[in-house]
Amino acid sequence: MIETVSYPELTVIGCMVEAGPDDPPAAIAAAWEHVFAADTGATSFAAVSLPEENGLRRDLVGFLAARATEIPAGMVRVDLAAGRYLRTVHDGPVSGIAEGFARLRAHAAANGLALGGVGLDFGHRPGLPDGRHELHLALAVQLPALA
C-alpha cells in the first residue's frame, strides 16, 4: 500500500556518502558502521537520499536528532523542511529496498505527482539485518495557483 503522509521538519545527523553511479555500495556499509559505533544514544536511524550534485549520488546515513544535538566528529547535520511524502512499507531483505523506491516512483508517475528529490528510509539497525523499513519519497512543493 502506498499512502501520502506529512512530516514536520526533520533533523538527521550522520555520515555523508557521495558516489558515482558505478561506485560499489561498500561506502554506505562503512558509513553505517561508523554511525552505529558512535556513542550517540540514538535509537532511530535513517538513510536520506539527497538530490545529486556534480553527477554524484548523495546519501546521508545516520540518526534522527533534535536540532540542538551536538554533531559527532566525522558527521554532518541535514535539516529537512516539513513536507509531504509518498510512503510504503518494505518487509524483507535489505536488497529489496530499491524495488520499494521504484514502486513509489512508478506510483508518482502514474498519478501525475511531482517528486521533490529526497528519499527517506527508516528502519536500519546495527548489523543491517533484514526487516521492516518505511520508505518515503518527498513530493515537490506545490505553489497555489494565482487567480
Side-chain angles (χ1 to χ4, degrees):
M1 178 176 86
I2 295 175
E3 61 185 335
T4 302
V5 297
S6 294
Y7 282 120
E9 181 179 272
L10 297 173
T11 296
V12 181
I13 296 174
C15 297
M16 183 68 71
V17 177
E18 296 181 324
D22 298 326
D23 290 338
I28 296 278
W32 274 121
E33 286 181 30
H34 182 78
V35 168
F36 293 139
D39 186 19
T40 64
T43 58
S44 295
F45 298 95
V48 181
S49 297
L50 298 165
E52 286 187 9
E53 272 188 16
N54 301 319
L56 295 177
R57 190 182 77 235
R58 299 181 316 135
D59 295 292
L60 178 75
V61 298
F63 58 93
L64 294 173
R67 197 165 228 218
T69 301
E70 186 172 323
I71 301 170
M75 295 189 190
V76 299
R77 180 181 86 200
V78 170
D79 297 313
L80 300 170
R84 295 176 47 231
Y85 292 79
L86 292 178
R87 175 188 176 274
T88 192
V89 173
H90 167 75
D91 283 308
V94 172
S95 61
I97 289 173
E99 184 179 305
F101 279 115
R103 282 195 318 274
L104 289 172
R105 282 189 290 280
H107 177 84
N111 290 282
L113 301 171
L115 296 173
V118 172
L120 302 173
D121 175 357
F122 301 124
H124 290 282
R125 296 183 316 272
L128 300 175
D130 295 340
R132 185 178 192 92
H133 288 256
E134 291 186 23
L135 309 177
H136 304 77
L137 287 179
L139 293 171
V141 175
Q142 300 285 323
L143 299 176
L146 298 176

